[in-house]
Structures are given as structure tokens and as C-alpha cells.
């Protein structure tokens, strides 16, 4: 009967990364403090099912979201949901997950406050990757997708949001 599609894709690579690393570092200078957190993944493959679904499904040539390469090759829309290595991509990335800059105000002349700190923080500020999907950190890792294990399959996963936070810490 032949190999299952997931068995064939595993011959091409693994959805599990070869390396996962991170860097968390802090700096202090006078009343300023800076914390930086970087995370990275290397050596995994992601099946970009989002590109598969958006690029080919529907009426080829008529849909506004059809990839030009699909129209040029004259590909039949019946090929849209077939698993192949066409949408298998390198999932390696480096992400600036968080950076926080704070300033501790001198409060020695205010007897009822022992510490006063202002800070600004940003999360998910940028990602360096060759992955063409929304986010290489695929969160669809449990259950099944079309009767196949879904680990490493990007099935319209929503990307992580970029957030900014301004804060004040007061210690009495």
C-alpha cells in the first residue's frame, strides 16, 4: 500500500528542532537597568499548510489570494490539499522575545517610598527567519490534521502579537 504521507515527509526532515537556545542577559548602569531575552530554534521543518490552503484552493486565477507561481504553472486546483514537499520549509528562527529598559528614581528624600522604578518593555519585537508563513513558532502541536499528526504543520496559526508595556513599580 506504500508509505503514509507523514512517513514520506519524515524522510525529508523533522518538525523537531536540532537546537533550541536562548540568551537572557541584564545590564545595570547607575540607575538604569536593561534586560534582553532572545530565543532561537534551528534545524526543524514546517509544513506551511496556510500557504497551501490560501495559494491554491478555490478558483485558480480568479481568487485574489492565489500565488502567481500557481497560475503560471497551470496547476490544477485539485492538487491543493495533497501533502508534498512543495510547502515544506525551514522553520529556523531567532526572535527578540523581550527587552525591558527601566530607571530607578532616587527616593531617599521620600520617607514612605523605598523604591520607585519606571520601565518600558517590548515583547516579540522582531523575528529573523526564512519561513514564509506568519510565524515560524507553530503552535499547532497536538491532535490530528487530516488524520496526520499535526506537529510541525502550520495550519493558519495566528502569529504572536507584538506588545509594548509602560510601567511603574512602587515599593512602600
Amino acid at each position: 500500500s506504500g508509505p503514509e504521507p507523514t512517513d514520506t515527509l519524515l524522510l525529508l526532515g523533522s518538525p523537531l528542532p536540532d537546537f533550541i537556545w536562548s540568551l537572557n542577559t541584564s545590564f545595570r548602569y547607575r540607575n538604569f537597568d536593561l534586560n534582553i531575552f532572545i530565543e532561537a530554534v534551528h534545524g526543524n521543518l514546517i509544513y506551511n499548510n496556510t500557504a497551501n490552503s490560501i495559494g491554491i484552493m478555490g478558483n485558480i486565477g480568479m481568487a485574489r489570494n492565489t500565488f502567481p507561481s500557481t497560475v503560471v504553472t497551470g496547476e490544477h486546483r485539485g492538487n491543493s490539499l495533497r501533502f508534498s514537499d512543495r510547502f515544506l520549509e525551514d522553520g529556523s528562527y531567532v526572535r527578540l522575545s523581550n527587552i525591558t529598559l527601566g530607571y530607578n528614581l532616587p527616593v531617599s528624600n521620600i520617607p514612605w517610598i523605598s523604591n520607585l522604578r519606571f520601565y518600558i518593555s517590548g515583547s516579540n519585537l522582531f523575528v529573523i527567519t526564512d519561513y514564509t508563513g506568519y510565524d515560524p513558532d507553530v503552535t499547532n502541536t497536538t491532535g490530528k490534521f487530516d488524520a496526520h499528526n499535526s506537529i510541525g504543520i502550520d495550519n493558519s496559526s495566528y502569529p504572536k502579537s507584538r506588545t509594548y508595556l509602560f510601567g511603574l513599580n512602587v515599593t512602600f
Side-chain angles (χ1 to χ4, degrees), residues 18 125 133:
D18 295 332
L125 296 179

Side-chain angles (χ1 to χ4, degrees), residues 5-121:
T6 52
D7 298 336
T8 305
L9 290 176
L10 284 177
L11 294 175
L12 299 172
S14 173
L16 303 174
D18 295 332
F19 301 101
I20 300 173
W21 62 267
S22 64
L23 172 68
N24 189 11
T25 188
S26 297
F27 302 99
R28 291 188 186 276
Y29 179 74
R30 298 187 185 220
N31 292 346
F32 288 96
D33 59 86
L34 177 68
N35 183 277
I36 301 170
F37 177 60
I38 299 170
E39 63 176 304
V41 168
H42 176 73
N44 64 313
L45 293 177
I46 298 173
Y47 185 79
N48 191 347
N49 194 58
T50 304
N52 181 15
S53 300
I54 291 174
I56 301 174
M57 274 178 48
N59 195 355
I60 291 180
M62 301 294 283
R64 293 179 186 212
N65 59 359
T66 301
F67 294 125
S69 61
T70 304
V71 176
V72 171
T73 60
E75 185 168 344
H76 188 273
R77 69 179 178 200
N79 291 337
S80 64
L81 294 179
R82 298 183 190 227
F83 284 98
S84 73
D85 63 352
R86 177 178 179 181
F87 294 101
L88 201 57
E89 299 182 33
D90 181 12
S92 301
Y93 67 90
V94 176
R95 178 188 312 270
L96 178 57
S97 292
N98 186 279
I99 187 166
T100 302
L101 176 64
Y103 181 75
N104 292 295
L105 265 73
V107 290
S108 58
N109 57 350
I110 305 173
W112 50 277
I113 296 179
S114 63
N115 188 34
L116 182 62
R117 179 177 179 261
F118 292 96
Y119 65 92
I120 182 171
S121 181

